[in-house]
Amino acid sequence: MTSKYDNKFKVSFVLLISWSIFIIYKSVGYYSSSSKRLNPVGYIPLEQHVLAYFVFALLLYLTISRYFSKSLFKTVLIVTFSFGFLMEILQGIIPWRDFSLLDSLFNFMGGVLFITAKQITSFRNKLNIQN
């Protein structure tokens, strides 16, 4: 018999892998330099980097939260940063893409924004319980 936690893990894991594949696709997608403004497959504006990695951090958190407790937020930040930086390194290797520290910073900011939002909601929930 499968527990509800196992089902939640499976769903969040599949979503995390799917979202990761989407990010990889967007990261290595081909575009010509003259078509950047048309928002082709590979070009992601900076604010969308934050959103993409916010969702990545959320799905990662949902996937691993049952297995990590003490260092959960640190793990989410490290994995989010590492995945984002790896995508930037990959873009530096691919001839039609460029490495960007600014993109990497905005990728990391998505993870930080998720952790901040999660901490705020946790704090608000504790306040509501105490009242």
Side-chain angles (χ1 to χ4, degrees):
M1 184 172 171
T2 306
S3 74
K4 72 176 188 176
Y5 292 110
D6 290 337
N7 287 334
K8 285 182 180 181
F9 171 79
K10 289 176 186 175
V11 169
S12 61
F13 181 75
V14 167
L15 289 172
L16 175 64
I17 296 300
S18 300
W19 190 253
S20 299
I21 291 169
F22 173 74
I23 289 175
I24 293 167
Y25 172 75
K26 295 290 281 184
S27 295
V28 300
Y30 177 78
Y31 66 90
S32 66
S33 59
S34 63
S35 64
K36 274 186 178 181
R37 294 194 179 271
L38 301 176
N39 198 18
V41 171
Y43 177 69
I44 304 175
L46 292 175
E47 65 274 4
Q48 290 182 14
H49 279 262
V50 174
L51 178 61
Y53 282 86
F54 178 92
V55 172
F56 177 84
L58 167 66
L59 293 172
L60 179 64
Y61 175 86
L62 292 173
T63 303
I64 67 172
S65 61
R66 182 171 180 216
Y67 304 101
F68 291 85
S69 58
K70 190 172 186 179
S71 60
L72 179 60
F73 291 148
K74 185 189 298 185
T75 303
V76 168
L77 283 177
I78 289 170
V79 172
T80 300
F81 174 77
S82 299
F83 182 68
F85 196 72
L86 180 66
M87 290 300 100
E88 291 304 319
I89 290 172
L90 187 61
Q91 288 176 9
I93 295 170
I94 295 172
W96 58 86
R97 298 302 307 255
D98 297 319
F99 177 86
S100 170
L101 277 176
L102 187 61
D103 286 355
S104 189
L105 174 67
F106 276 78
N107 295 345
F108 182 66
M109 283 176 54
V112 170
L113 184 63
F114 167 74
I115 296 300
T116 303
K118 184 66 180 157
Q119 291 282 35
I120 289 170
T121 57
S122 295
F123 181 72
R124 290 183 77 196
N125 288 341
K126 286 180 184 176
L127 286 178
N128 287 338
I129 291 171
Q130 291 174 357
N131 290 334

